[in-house]
Amino acid sequence: MALFAGQNVIVTGGTRGIGRGISEAFLKEGATVLATYAGNKAAAEQFVEENAEYKDNIHLAGFDVSNYAESEKFFEELPFEKLDVLVNNAGIRKDSIVGMMPSEDWQKVLDINLTGTFNMSKLAVLKMMRARSGRIVNITSPCSHFGFEGQSNYAASKAGQIGLTRSLSKEVAKRGITVNCVSPGFIGTELISDLPEDLVKKYKSQVPMKRFGKTEEVAECVLFLAGKGSSYVTGTVLEVTGGL
């Protein structure tokens, strides 16, 4: 029996990178997956084409998670009534040292990574509370406590996700809803594909396992926190960092 047969799952930023890996893991376990994307429709369509065997269980939605009105409209038009799992994975980077960072780059990263998590979580909770069950998994980052140089906006947004997770988990615990974070370290996706080669070598040398992680390794941890076996786990951060 597939672990998530009959369950409905939303994965934001679910057609590329870590999000795609998470979407595919849920599909393989029998879930119906609604994968959202911001603007890259071609990548979203490619995701569907390359997962044609699950096409009947895949839905797509293109919108801006940081825009509350668009998020609200998205929930009003869900192709299913019951929501079992929300994975807040949508995120961006706009790196620069603080002294040189344009204010709009600071704001955009906070808007997508943190406000987007709030918007989607709020609307998901309203549905889950009626069913008295649900799982929310927020994809954060060890940057939240390491604070890598040039990533103050990203680090602040990811630290904010953890704070939101811990507070929200207490608010909804009595309703049978769990809220947790998965914190991937360096994972081989396009999000870090723009890093200079010397920086990649430096980062790999800092990882005790001496390699970057795989999207599948992150997805397995998300599946655990979204499954029945984690029913007494809430308000936590699961680090997937190779020992960082």
Side-chain angles (χ1 to χ4, degrees):
M1 175 68 72
L3 294 175
F4 291 89
Q7 293 198 32
N8 300 314
V9 179
I10 295 172
V11 182
T12 68
T15 63
R16 294 191 298 163
I18 290 175
R20 174 171 173 162
I22 293 168
S23 295
E24 290 174 342
F26 275 111
L27 288 168
K28 289 173 184 176
E29 290 296 342
T32 293
V33 175
L34 201 176
T36 83
Y37 62 96
N40 195 333
K41 188 175 181 180
E45 291 173 344
Q46 182 180 0
F47 160 71
V48 175
E49 289 173 9
E50 293 178 359
N51 287 280
E53 62 187 298
Y54 305 111
K55 67 181 188 311
D56 292 340
N57 285 357
I58 299 176
H59 300 275
L60 295 178
F63 71 102
D64 179 1
V65 296
S66 71
N67 184 304
Y68 187 80
E70 290 185 23
S71 301
E72 194 171 37
K73 186 172 185 290
F74 163 78
F75 271 87
E76 289 171 353
E77 298 175 353
L78 285 181
F80 39 73
E81 180 57 33
K82 186 173 183 286
L83 173 61
D84 298 287
V85 181
L86 166 67
V87 181
N88 284 306
N89 168 76
I92 62 169
R93 282 178 38 234
K94 288 185 175 292
D95 296 353
S96 178
I97 61 173
V98 169
M100 300 296 291
M101 182 180 292
S103 60
E104 56 268 26
D105 285 0
W106 168 269
Q107 195 60 54
K108 187 66 174 178
V109 170
L110 268 290
D111 286 346
I112 298 292
N113 298 4
L114 183 54
T115 301
T117 297
F118 163 77
N119 289 343
M120 296 297 290
S121 296
K122 173 184 174 177
L123 294 163
V125 159
L126 294 176
K127 290 190 70 68
M128 292 175 174
M129 286 178 72
R130 290 194 291 271
R132 301 190 72 85
S133 68
R135 300 280 188 268
I136 297 176
V137 182
N138 298 322
I139 307 302
T140 184
S141 168
C143 186
S144 62
H145 52 87
F146 286 138
F148 294 127
E149 180 180 351
Q151 292 190 339
S152 60
N153 49 1
Y154 188 74
S157 70
K158 293 301 177 179
Q161 278 185 311
I162 294 173
L164 186 158
T165 296
R166 289 180 171 148
S167 293
L168 179 58
S169 69
K170 292 176 172 61
E171 295 172 1
V172 299
K174 290 183 179 179
R175 296 296 185 115
I177 302 167
T178 67
V179 190
N180 292 287
C181 286
V182 169
S183 181
F186 296 108
I187 309 298
T189 71
E190 63 265 29
L191 187 66
I192 61 171
S193 62
D194 61 342
L195 293 176
E197 187 176 345
D198 59 335
L199 203 53
V200 169
K201 290 181 180 178
K202 176 185 175 183
Y203 287 157
K204 282 186 178 179
S205 72
Q206 293 173 354
V207 178
M209 287 189 172
K210 304 303 178 188
R211 67 175 177 86
F212 286 173
K214 302 174 183 177
T215 57
E216 297 89 344
E217 293 170 313
V218 179
E220 286 296 326
C221 294
V222 173
L223 291 187
F224 165 69
L225 291 174
K228 293 180 179 178
S230 65
S231 57
Y232 201 58
V233 180
T234 195
T236 67
V237 180
L238 177 54
E239 300 278 348
V240 191
T241 64
L244 272 177

